[in-house]
Amino acid sequence: MATIGMDKLYYAKITEAENGEETYATPVQLAKAIKADLTIDLAEATLYADDGTAYVVKEFKSGTLSLGVDDIGVTAAQDLTGAIVDDNGVLVSTSENEGSAVAVGFRALKPNGKYRYFWLYRVKFGIPDTNLETKGDSITFQTPTIEGTVMRRNKPDGKGKHPWKAEATEGDAGVSDTTISGWYTQVYEPVYETTPPSGG
């Protein structure tokens, strides 16, 4: 999965119903993307029988998304971290701040000129890191990094599963132009021809 670039970093606010199922707002641009690092934690179990391995289970538990961006604007800071703007227009972060989970979308450029598109369905961010440095003989850019925990979403898809990520590669078999062109108009919802029986 070699990629040579990344851009179009968006987020969508989440509204939760009483049962916790998510409804996504229209995506908006978060910032200009510099870097994204996604690491995944798996819940693993191995069953041994007859002196050997009988079953191995590896399931998604959570992930960590670290984003390097050019700047986090006031609106995104409020939405992602729970910071508030006071009456003088100053962004204030407190120890009691807690941001809401959001969906995060971005794309990565492949060497063949096509893009791989991503949506992470539920990410809860912490306070951004701030790096500052005095100007010396040369100019060094200091940019913020924000880290979030990636979780599965509460709302089941058409197969009754709880997705945590969707990804599509432009030009791959079965990936329509409509899917790609509409990637940022709304958070991607998995589409299946059949749905599980009720109660299943």
Side-chain angles (χ1 to χ4, degrees), residues 71-116:
D71 190 22
I72 297 173
V74 172
T75 301
Q78 291 177 90
D79 292 341
L80 272 55
T81 70
I84 56 173
V85 175
D86 74 2
D87 294 342
N88 292 319
V90 176
L91 184 69
V92 179
S93 297
T94 70
S95 60
E96 293 83 8
N97 288 151
E98 184 175 355
S100 300
V102 296
V104 176
F106 54 91
R107 69 180 187 174
L109 179 64
K110 298 177 62 182
N112 64 0
K114 304 287 187 181
Y115 285 92
R116 176 167 286 138

Side-chain angles (χ1 to χ4, degrees), residues 122-143:
R122 192 175 177 91
V123 182
K124 188 151 189 179
F125 286 100
I127 304 300
D129 290 335
T130 302
N131 302 303
L132 304 172
E133 182 179 320
T134 190
K135 185 171 71 170
D137 292 335
S138 61
I139 296 173
T140 303
F141 287 104
Q142 301 298 322
T143 57

Side-chain angles (χ1 to χ4, degrees), residues 21 60 152-157 160-165:
E21 291 189 2
F60 173 81
R152 71 167 209 175
R153 75 177 189 185
N154 298 318
K155 179 182 177 183
D157 63 16
K161 307 291 185 185
H162 299 270
W164 64 273
K165 177 179 78 166

Side-chain angles (χ1 to χ4, degrees), residues 4 14 19-20 32 38 40 57 60 107-108 118 121 125 139 150-151 167 176:
I4 58 174
I14 293 174
N19 62 2
K32 290 184 178 178
L38 177 62
I40 303 302
V57 177
F60 173 81
R107 69 180 187 174
F118 298 86
Y121 285 111
F125 286 100
I139 296 173
V150 180
M151 300 165 279
E167 87 181 69
S176 71

